[in-house]
Amino acid sequence: MAFTIAIDGPAASGKGSVARRLAEHFGLAHLDTGLLYRAVGARMMQGEEPIAAAQALRADDLDVPGLRTAEVGVAASRVGAIPEVRAALLDFQRAFARRSGGAVLDGRDIGTVICPEAEAKLFVTATAEVRAERRFRELIGDGHDTTLAAVLDDIRARDARDMGRADAPLKAADDAEVLDTSALTLEDSVAAAIALVEAARAG
């Protein structure tokens, strides 16, 4: 029987790292749904029309180098606000979620739209300042030239787009467990997430 773990949260909240570790711990497949939008955003940056790019997206498009750059992240947030793009990617995500053996999906509308019947739902969050510091360290480590102030502005702009869009806005599902990682290490965040999922599995 499929067991789906839905993880939502804003940019740089730690949801991706938590999702990957949960998938490893419970032996489940993992899908970073943000990569779908990054792949569409990257194709848009190359001149493709975003809706057509989403409709033509294939699994191997998620392996294209450079999808995790800040520029592609901005493009992903923009295409993610287009209802037709979200609709085109819906079936891909739902099929992955109910695959044999179960799955962990992380994104911004997993528990509310993609998998409202998921057996476990987490909303991983942190303050904008903490998230900006995390993303800044990540970008500097990858050799990008930026400032903490610029990253914070980008985080706040993405939050506004993601939470303010008319279609599938970013928000915690009513039955999701909220995990604030602002003051937690990754190890502490993962331990807390495992405990919450185990509680959900136990019913």
Side-chain angles (χ1 to χ4, degrees), residues 128-151:
E129 291 75 16
V130 166
R131 291 185 284 123
E133 178 68 34
R134 290 172 180 167
R135 180 56 52 84
F136 176 70
R137 290 199 305 267
E138 181 182 295
L139 290 170
I140 293 299
D142 288 341
H144 295 280
D145 182 20
T146 187
T147 65
L148 180 57
V151 175

Side-chain angles (χ1 to χ4, degrees), residues 24-194:
E24 292 171 8
H25 180 82
F26 291 105
L28 304 174
H30 171 239
L31 176 63
D32 172 0
T33 64
L35 272 183
L36 300 176
Y37 293 94
R38 283 177 175 267
V40 174
R43 292 175 68 158
M44 180 185 72
M45 290 168 68
Q46 294 170 356
E48 290 191 51
E49 195 278 323
I51 297 172
Q55 292 170 340
L57 197 69
R58 304 185 309 272
D60 54 6
D61 288 325
L62 306 185
D63 298 324
V64 172
L67 291 185
R68 297 201 180 272
T69 65
E71 295 78 12
V72 174
V74 171
S77 183
R78 287 175 177 157
V79 301
I82 302 171
E84 293 86 353
V85 169
R86 306 195 73 82
L89 299 177
L90 190 65
D91 289 344
F92 184 105
Q93 296 172 82
R94 285 183 171 163
F96 190 97
R98 302 316 288 176
R99 65 196 291 150
S100 177
V104 180
L105 285 78
D106 70 269
R108 287 170 172 73
D109 63 348
I110 310 304
T112 54
V113 176
I114 306 300
C115 305
E117 304 302 320
E119 287 76 15
K121 298 180 187 179
L122 303 181
F123 189 84
V124 180
T125 189
T127 66
E129 291 75 16
V130 166
R131 291 185 284 123
E133 178 68 34
R134 290 172 180 167
R135 180 56 52 84
F136 176 70
R137 290 199 305 267
E138 181 182 295
L139 290 170
I140 293 299
D142 288 341
H144 295 280
D145 182 20
T146 187
T147 65
L148 180 57
V151 175
L152 180 57
D153 285 346
D154 178 57
I155 288 283
R156 286 174 171 159
R158 290 188 65 182
D159 285 352
R161 279 196 301 271
D162 293 342
M163 295 177 183
R165 65 188 178 217
D167 185 51
L170 168 65
K171 63 179 181 178
D174 291 339
D175 54 348
E177 296 286 351
V178 176
L179 176 58
D180 190 326
T181 67
S182 299
L184 299 179
T185 65
L186 175 58
E187 295 303 324
D188 289 340
S189 299
V190 171
I194 288 172

